[in-house]
Amino acid sequence: MTKSIREKSGGFETASRIILGIVGGYALSAMITALLIRVMPFAPVQAEKAANMVFFIIYACALIWVFSNAKTKTVWIVMSVMLALTAAMLLLGGA
Amino acid sequence: MKDTFRKSISSLHTWSGLLAGWLLFAIFFTGTYSYFKDEITYWMNPETHKAAPEAADRAVQAEMAIRYLESSLLDAAEWGITFANERTPVLQVGHRERLPMDMKVQDYVRTAMPMTYLDPVTGEHFNPRDTEGGNFLYRFHIELYGLDRATGRAIVGIATMFMFIAIISGVIIHKRIFADFFTFRRKKGLRSWLDAHIFTSVLALPYHLMITYSGLVLVMIYILPFTAQKSAKAFDDHIAMHMRQEQIPLPAEKVPLPDIKAILADAEQRLGREAGSISISNPYSKNTLVTVSPGTGMDIVNGFKGTGSSQRLTYKGPKGRFMGMMNMQASDSAAKISGVLTSLHLARFADTFLRWLFFVSGALGTVMIGTGLIIWVNKKSSVINKSFGRKLVEILNVGGITGLVAATGVHFWVNRLLPVEIAARAQWEIYIFFAAWLVFFLHPLIRIPKNAWKEQLFLAGGLYCLMPVLNAFTSDVNFFSALAGGNSIIMAFDLTVFGLGIIFGYAGWKLHEKQNMLENAFSTAAAGRGN
């Protein structure tokens, strides 16, 4: 717990963080945004605008979180669960 | 644990800043430049400088504009008139061509109406040179160059996201944000660069956050294709509407134009303030539409894109029948917030003082990115001393930082020195700008980077400092006659470029003087920091 990401085993760790952060974070934030659009009390175009404004905050938080967590395994698990959860909510709520 | 967290975030800060660094430097630099794009465009059209500073009455200006449009731009889908104002003290007239009826939306490019300039007192056409003026680097700021709108804006948007992450992670790793603000250790090599980086970051932090976040909001339809479909469609519809407005056949029988002077007087009375511009769509038709927009009273919440004002008056047909006043109002709080963010980013509402404040903040942001890139090279120098990556960054830093500054100086000079009669002159100005920039990227390969830095800073310093002299020889107005004649734009321009030139020259001289000393300090400071 005393070493930063880059100083640890290197390759796999760093690649994991980059993929989880950039791709995973984007997918997660986009899905949360899609959920937000549905619940926002605005006209469709405005709801989209409002939710997309929030997107950048969510994405930034997701990225920071992915890079700050000490254990890569934890990040993989939590990110996968979150992605599965939001995807399920989107699919179930989409009907 | 806490230490690990900071280190991880620190590497996030380093890499997000480095990977998009040169692009971000260019975006910040050209964006800062764009606060004065109107003034720069005016400077780049020296033919117009001889106009008297006091413009004629707006009714007279309208009459002169119509006379010019009727005599030389007869066949147009739309005419535009912009009255002489503080930022462009000459009368502007322009037109849009009629587009073929079978044109497709995807082939249509919506740009600002190309304008030409008339004397605001006599109505004489200035015959200005063919130039994009300040608009070239303004467009570069938004969508780079030579790419289609969506690709260019997506690239800029992604770089902006990197900036956003770099700012947030920078704040997190910086534990003593306010204490360090008052710390500046001169002549301490790396420590000085770090202090300069922190100083410029913290001093304008609210600005950096605002400009980055609002920039993201402006390009969000290009980087969020999954959740912005309706907004993107609304935007496409808006573009298609503009295209249809230009796809009008020539009227079968010509009817006379409405009385523009009467319309102007009526509009100003209804608005209770000065009109700024008039647009005449489909002239000589029964459906001619005259739109008047106010020139002052910019609205920060609402506002039509382009004019920055929330009001518009329309008049229809040869009799100029009043059709009503559109008063754009944000429909809900989401629209209001995005309206405010857009206004803050574009700064159309800003008066001279606020514009300068934004300009200085933008310049601080530019320095922040530049010093960040320099720190990377110097910090690593003791660790991975002669690695390929470090060398590459060191070389790219020169072209990416001082190269752009010097190339912009070249652009100003080319604007004045390129012969007026050359074909596709506006294009050549741009090509020469890019050619110069490329040379500045190659320069550190031939010379070592250390010397390339110095030489480019001296060159930039010379180009900027001598711009008032260049202007004196290539325009009717020089610094002293501007001072005497009250031409505040030329006066402020000369002072600004001279001041910038002094700064660049000073930086080059400092580099020259302290080169050896800095070298030593870099290595000891980096070793002392231990990361």
Side-chain angles (χ1 to χ4, degrees):
Chain A
M1 292 288 262
T2 51
K3 282 182 176 172
S4 75
I5 296 162
R6 266 165 43 75
E7 287 163 25
K8 276 202 222 158
S9 63
F12 174 72
E13 300 275 335
T14 314
S16 289
R17 306 284 171 149
I18 291 171
I19 292 166
L20 283 169
I22 294 177
V23 183
Y26 185 93
L28 181 66
S29 322
M31 287 199 286
I32 296 176
T33 308
L35 285 170
L36 276 175
I37 292 173
R38 291 188 188 167
V39 297
M40 280 198 166
F42 301 123
V45 175
Q46 295 309 332
E48 230 181 57
K49 220 175 227 176
N52 280 336
M53 283 195 278
V54 181
F55 168 93
F56 299 111
I57 314 276
I58 305 173
Y59 192 20
C61 292
L63 270 165
I64 303 267
W65 175 77
V66 165
F67 278 88
S68 63
N69 201 295
K71 277 190 175 166
T72 309
K73 212 160 98 189
T74 320
V75 183
W76 271 108
I77 294 168
V78 175
M79 183 58 89
S80 312
V81 171
M82 297 269 279
L83 281 170
L85 265 178
T86 41
M89 278 167 82
L90 265 179
L91 286 173
L92 293 176
Chain B
M1 177 66 208
K2 207 143 186 266
D3 195 44
T4 320
F5 172 73
R6 184 159 287 127
K7 269 190 179 168
S8 304
I9 297 297
S10 172
S11 60
L12 180 62
H13 178 75
T14 305
W15 291 100
S16 57
L18 179 71
L19 290 175
W22 302 287
L23 190 52
L24 286 170
F25 183 87
I27 293 169
F28 256 72
F29 181 83
T30 52
T32 305
Y33 166 107
S34 299
Y35 284 127
F36 290 112
K37 79 176 169 63
D38 288 3
E39 289 80 357
I40 290 169
T41 304
Y42 171 70
W43 187 88
M44 287 192 169
N45 284 285
E47 293 83 0
T48 67
H49 295 175
K50 55 175 180 262
E54 287 298 314
D57 198 50
R58 278 184 303 285
V60 180
Q61 286 189 52
E63 205 173 0
M64 296 185 303
I66 293 290
R67 201 184 312 138
Y68 174 79
L69 288 166
E70 286 200 286
S71 64
S72 41
L73 299 167
L74 203 54
D75 179 29
E78 187 190 349
W79 287 341
I81 303 167
T82 304
F83 298 119
N85 58 47
E86 228 180 19
R87 301 186 57 199
T88 309
V90 286
L91 176 58
Q92 300 177 65
V93 289
H95 77 295
R96 290 188 194 276
E97 303 276 347
R98 281 173 206 279
L99 297 177
M101 297 301 284
D102 55 354
M103 187 172 202
K104 299 270 181 302
V105 178
Q106 52 265 35
D107 299 327
Y108 173 71
V109 185
R110 175 79 180 173
T111 55
M113 187 186 275
M115 301 302 251
T116 187
Y117 306 100
L118 303 183
D119 190 308
V121 179
T122 64
E124 173 208 352
H125 185 223
F126 282 126
N127 255 321
R129 61 194 54 204
D130 180 22
T131 176
E132 294 271 324
N135 277 325
F136 159 57
L137 286 181
Y138 168 61
R139 301 309 303 178
F140 186 89
H141 169 70
I142 313 173
E143 51 198 19
L144 307 177
Y145 184 78
L147 300 162
D148 64 278
R149 181 205 303 271
T151 317
R153 291 184 187 207
I155 294 172
V156 171
I158 291 166
T160 314
M161 192 67 216
F162 274 86
M163 182 84 225
F164 195 48
I165 294 296
I167 293 177
I168 294 172
S169 53
V171 171
I172 294 173
I173 53 173
H174 197 59
K175 38 194 169 186
R176 303 184 307 129
I177 201 156
F178 293 104
D180 272 14
F181 172 64
F182 296 104
T183 315
F184 190 83
R185 280 150 285 194
R186 287 184 68 236
K187 304 180 182 178
K188 283 278 167 29
L190 179 70
R191 208 46 241 191
S192 298
W193 284 113
L194 208 52
D195 287 345
H197 184 62
I198 292 165
F199 177 80
T200 50
S201 310
V202 178
L203 184 61
L205 185 62
Y207 171 86
H208 300 325
L209 271 173
M210 176 280 283
I211 211 73
T212 308
Y213 184 62
S214 57
L216 283 170
V217 170
L218 274 168
V219 294
M220 65 189 178
I221 62 168
Y222 302 101
I223 48 178
L224 301 174
F226 307 115
T227 52
Q229 285 151 355
K230 290 200 178 69
S231 317
K233 181 159 187 319
F235 184 73
D236 284 346
D237 290 348
H238 176 76
I239 293 285
M241 178 200 76
H242 276 299
M243 186 187 74
R244 281 194 299 277
Q245 281 173 352
E246 295 168 44
Q247 278 179 321
I248 19 177
L250 267 172
E253 50 164 335
K254 274 193 175 181
V255 295
L257 288 173
D259 183 355
I260 300 293
K261 269 168 91 171
I263 289 178
L264 181 66
D266 181 72
E268 292 202 335
Q269 203 197 349
R270 284 177 200 269
L271 280 168
R273 50 201 159 99
E274 291 176 8
S277 58
I278 299 179
S279 137
I280 301 162
S281 153
N282 202 4
Y284 304 119
S285 141
K286 285 195 185 87
N287 298 320
T288 299
L289 212 58
V290 179
T291 310
V292 183
S293 308
T296 56
M298 298 307 164
D299 194 323
I300 191 168
V301 181
N302 313 294
F304 289 103
K305 271 202 160 177
T307 62
S309 152
S310 66
Q311 289 165 321
R312 258 176 204 185
L313 295 100
T314 44
Y315 298 82
K316 193 175 181 183
K319 291 211 176 67
R321 190 157 51 88
F322 178 60
M323 300 290 287
M325 174 152 78
M326 281 192 276
N327 201 343
M328 181 132 120
Q329 290 299 323
S331 51
D332 48 36
S333 47
K336 278 186 189 139
I337 292 168
S338 73
V340 170
L341 286 170
T342 309
S343 301
L344 279 173
H345 194 100
L346 304 178
R348 290 219 173 91
F349 66 93
D351 57 13
T352 311
F353 174 73
L354 195 56
R355 195 166 286 278
W356 271 104
L357 199 62
F358 274 29
F359 178 84
V360 171
S361 305
L364 287 171
T366 313
V367 174
M368 166 180 80
I369 298 167
T371 49
L373 284 165
I374 293 169
I375 288 169
W376 192 86
V377 170
N378 293 328
K379 197 165 157 180
K380 295 289 170 192
S381 61
S382 61
V383 187
I384 25 169
N385 206 344
K386 293 291 169 200
S387 80
F388 175 72
R390 194 192 75 93
K391 266 189 195 156
L392 184 72
V393 173
E394 194 178 19
I395 285 166
L396 287 175
N397 266 354
V398 181
I401 298 172
T402 50
L404 176 61
V405 177
T408 307
V410 171
H411 186 234
F412 280 112
W413 279 75
V414 167
N415 166 267
R416 287 300 178 84
L417 296 180
L418 202 63
V420 177
E421 61 282 355
I422 261 182
R425 191 182 172 287
Q427 276 307 309
W428 277 108
E429 278 186 10
I430 293 169
Y431 293 151
I432 295 173
F433 164 83
F434 281 120
W437 200 5
L438 180 68
V439 169
F440 295 138
F441 265 113
L442 299 177
H443 184 192
L445 291 174
I446 302 157
R447 309 275 291 152
I448 51 170
K450 243 185 345 193
N451 291 335
W453 275 116
K454 218 165 50 188
E455 286 157 10
Q456 291 190 14
L457 278 169
F458 283 137
L459 176 68
L463 286 172
Y464 280 75
C465 272
L466 291 175
M467 240 183 267
V469 179
L470 170 74
N471 180 57
F473 280 107
T474 50
S475 158
D476 291 339
V477 177
N478 60 39
F479 179 70
F480 299 104
S481 64
L483 204 60
N487 191 332
S488 55
I489 297 178
I490 296 298
M491 200 177 73
F493 186 99
D494 279 357
L495 284 175
T496 308
V497 289
F498 188 76
L500 287 173
I502 296 284
I503 293 172
F504 302 145
Y506 178 77
W509 178 69
K510 267 294 183 217
L511 212 58
H512 174 72
E513 196 191 33
K514 301 283 174 217
Q515 208 157 60
N516 293 324
M517 200 190 130
L518 277 175
E519 274 266 284
N520 300 333
F522 279 149
S523 41
T524 47
R529 264 177 71 80
N531 51 358

